Amino acid sequence: MSYACYDCIIIGGGAAGLTAAVTAAELGKKTLLLERNNSLGKKLLITGKGRCNLTNNCGLDEFTENVPTNSRFLYSAYSNFSSRDCMDFFEELGVPLKTERGNRVFPVSDKSADIVFSLENACRARGVTIKNNVKVSSLIIEGGQVKGVNCVSGTSFYAESVLVATGGKSYPKTGSDGDGYKFAKAAGHTIKKLRPSLVPFVAEESYCAVLEGLSLKNVNLKIFDAKLGKSIFSEQGEMLFTRFGISGPLVLSASAHISDMERGRYKAFIDLKPALDEKALNERILRDFAEIPNRLFSNSLSKLLPNKLIQTVVQLSGVAGDKPVHSVTKPERAALVSLLKAFPVTIRDFRPFSEAVITSGGVDVAEISPKTMESKLVKSLYFAGEVLDLDGYTGGFNLQIAFCTAVCAANNM
């Protein structure tokens, strides 16, 4: 069973697919959008904890600094659809926006559903044919050119061009199960190693489970790479302990800096008191001890640390918990200071793709035209969004990648 030819077929009704569909239809192209789920934008609905941090209000230089993988590939796409253009695009679709700390852009309503609805409504208003519950099984490629798609149902759709905007492997319950990589590989493309990114860490230490639920604010997280013999990440912000390790904004950002996870290679150090150097912290501890000279060490840190952290710090410090603080020696105090300035967590692994915000790796961008998003291997085949080997840090950069590559592809299909 087959259908009449379209100008373009877009596989995937997420951030990239919806944006591409709106753009293509505005250009007068007869557009078919195929989505495997029963509704559009499932992953988009949960981004930013349901608020949708849709871009970052910054310029090209800052944008590329926040895209650690293949940022140069995005120069043309971003220049033609910048963060400012993205904001204008959504406000023209009727979604008022606001810029918050870190130049993060959100809908004024704080509802990601407003972004999804605006894109879906724009598609329908521009005549895009939307088919839900349609799972593509393969691309139709003849003579080095894509001709359409085959579906699991046995139906085939034909078009002059096809855009793969299927997302990555993160949050597979939203439909991102890696199909796009299968399509790309069948077309001859190289798939760069896939790994979860912007994802929590699994830790070796059992005390992380003891500290589960403890949130730390205004701490500095440093990641040390033993293989390289240097720190690869250092940033101040918020994080938390979980039953399996560590998570939170700092940890998610740090995960983007680890490309090859090897057990024992990476160690996290948490500076619990970044505002104080070691000398100032030592003086602070001396003052606290002077106020309670006869109190046991295990009960002496309530002014310095969250209650949930105290017993773990006491155990790791090497100082006997039943020792009066007036008896704590200078070397013992120095060890305590060192611990507070570099609380250790040994990283064993990433948490799974199901907990990752994005997928790192994907279709090799060396095989994609940066000016059009067209495959260099198969004529009229395009790629956009997370399926490509592009990923950024938290802060709206990944959705901006999806939007600008989608617009670039749609303009050239």
Side-chain angles (χ1 to χ4, degrees):
M1 186 178 179
S2 62
Y3 284 80
C5 186
Y6 290 86
D7 292 325
C8 53
I9 294 172
I10 297 168
I11 311 172
L18 284 165
T19 305
V22 172
T23 305
E26 280 187 343
L27 295 172
K29 297 171 185 175
K30 186 180 179 183
T31 304
L32 172 63
L33 178 64
L34 301 177
E35 168 54 47
R36 61 180 297 169
N37 291 311
N38 59 8
S39 61
L40 301 169
K42 277 198 168 183
K43 185 176 177 183
L44 198 50
L45 283 171
I46 63 173
T47 60
K49 297 180 180 178
R51 296 177 63 218
C52 194
N53 178 194
L54 60 96
T55 190
N56 192 281
N57 192 358
C58 66
L60 175 62
D61 290 344
E62 188 175 346
F63 173 73
T64 53
E65 285 170 7
N66 283 277
V67 180
T69 307
N70 298 317
S71 60
R72 288 183 63 84
F73 176 83
L74 290 166
Y75 279 17
S76 179
Y78 182 86
S79 296
N80 287 303
F81 194 77
S82 66
S83 299
R84 183 68 260 173
D85 294 326
C86 180
M87 293 167 70
D88 290 343
F89 174 82
F90 282 102
E91 290 190 323
E92 287 169 9
L93 293 185
V95 184
L97 304 176
K98 60 182 177 179
T99 300
E100 297 187 357
R101 179 175 56 87
N103 291 325
R104 297 169 188 239
V105 179
F106 295 88
V108 170
S109 65
D110 285 328
K111 293 178 180 177
S112 56
D114 288 352
I115 297 297
V116 176
F117 293 154
S118 71
L119 288 168
E120 183 173 357
N121 290 339
C123 283
R124 296 191 187 282
R126 288 158 180 75
V128 175
T129 300
I130 298 172
K131 293 186 180 293
N132 291 323
N133 298 308
V134 175
K135 182 173 170 58
V136 174
S137 57
S138 64
L139 302 176
I140 301 170
I141 299 173
E142 298 173 1
Q145 181 169 350
V146 71
K147 299 291 186 178
V149 301
N150 295 315
C151 301
V152 171
S153 64
T155 301
S156 297
F157 296 99
Y158 295 88
E160 294 178 6
S161 57
V162 173
L163 170 63
V164 178
T166 50
K169 290 188 71 175
S170 57
Y171 294 122
K173 289 182 179 179
T174 65
S176 301
D177 65 354
D179 268 358
Y181 306 123
K182 180 183 74 175
F183 303 149
K185 195 169 183 181
H189 280 280
T190 304
I191 307 302
K192 293 292 188 177
K193 182 181 177 181
L194 304 175
R195 67 168 181 82
S197 189
L198 303 185
V199 65
F201 289 136
V202 179
E204 296 279 4
E205 289 83 3
S206 60
Y207 53 71
C208 288
V210 174
L211 298 172
E212 180 182 3
L214 174 63
S215 179
L216 301 175
K217 295 183 178 182
N218 297 318
V219 297
N220 183 274
L221 178 67
K222 183 178 291 185
I223 305 295
F224 184 80
D225 183 338
K227 193 170 185 178
L228 298 179
K230 66 178 184 178
S231 171
I232 59 169
F233 175 86
S234 180
E235 195 171 298
Q236 191 164 323
E238 300 178 17
M239 60 170 290
L240 72 149
F241 289 96
T242 68
R243 60 180 173 78
F244 52 77
I246 51 176
S247 186
L250 277 179
V251 174
L252 299 191
S253 293
S255 72
H257 292 258
I258 296 179
S259 55
D260 296 307
M261 179 61 75
E262 297 174 26
R263 195 162 182 174
R265 177 175 175 178
Y266 300 99
K267 194 148 190 171
F269 293 98
I270 307 164
D271 185 346
L272 297 164
K273 297 293 175 182
L276 302 174
D277 61 19
E278 292 197 358
K279 181 181 178 183
L281 182 54
N282 180 58
E283 291 172 353
R284 161 72 190 275
I285 293 170
L286 275 173
R287 288 196 303 273
D288 287 354
F289 284 2
E291 293 176 6
I292 47 170
N294 296 314
R295 189 170 296 179
L296 300 182
F297 176 62
S298 61
N299 298 322
S300 67
L301 302 175
S302 59
K303 284 188 175 182
L304 197 64
L305 298 170
N307 287 334
K308 198 165 188 174
L309 188 58
I310 290 174
Q311 290 310 309
T312 300
V313 166
V314 169
Q315 291 166 14
L316 295 178
S317 71
V319 182
D322 59 357
K323 191 172 192 176
V325 294
H326 67 76
S327 299
V328 174
T329 66
K330 185 176 180 180
E332 287 175 330
R333 207 169 56 248
L336 173 61
V337 168
S338 295
L339 175 62
L340 298 180
K341 294 295 288 181
F343 186 92
V345 177
T346 306
I347 299 168
R348 181 196 300 171
D349 204 350
F350 298 116
R351 289 293 288 173
F353 275 107
S354 59
E355 297 178 30
V357 175
I358 59 161
T359 305
S360 181
V363 178
D364 188 350
V365 296
E367 299 166 354
I368 306 295
S369 166
K371 292 186 177 181
T372 64
M373 298 299 139
E374 185 179 13
S375 166
K376 294 179 180 178
L377 309 182
V378 177
K379 187 173 173 56
S380 302
L381 176 61
Y382 295 78
F383 294 88
E386 195 179 343
V387 71
L388 292 165
D389 183 21
L390 301 164
D391 58 275
Y393 300 141
T394 57
F397 300 102
N398 289 292
L399 276 180
Q400 177 62 35
I401 290 172
F403 295 138
C404 71
T405 54
V407 170
C408 180
N411 282 334
N412 290 283
M413 287 171 71

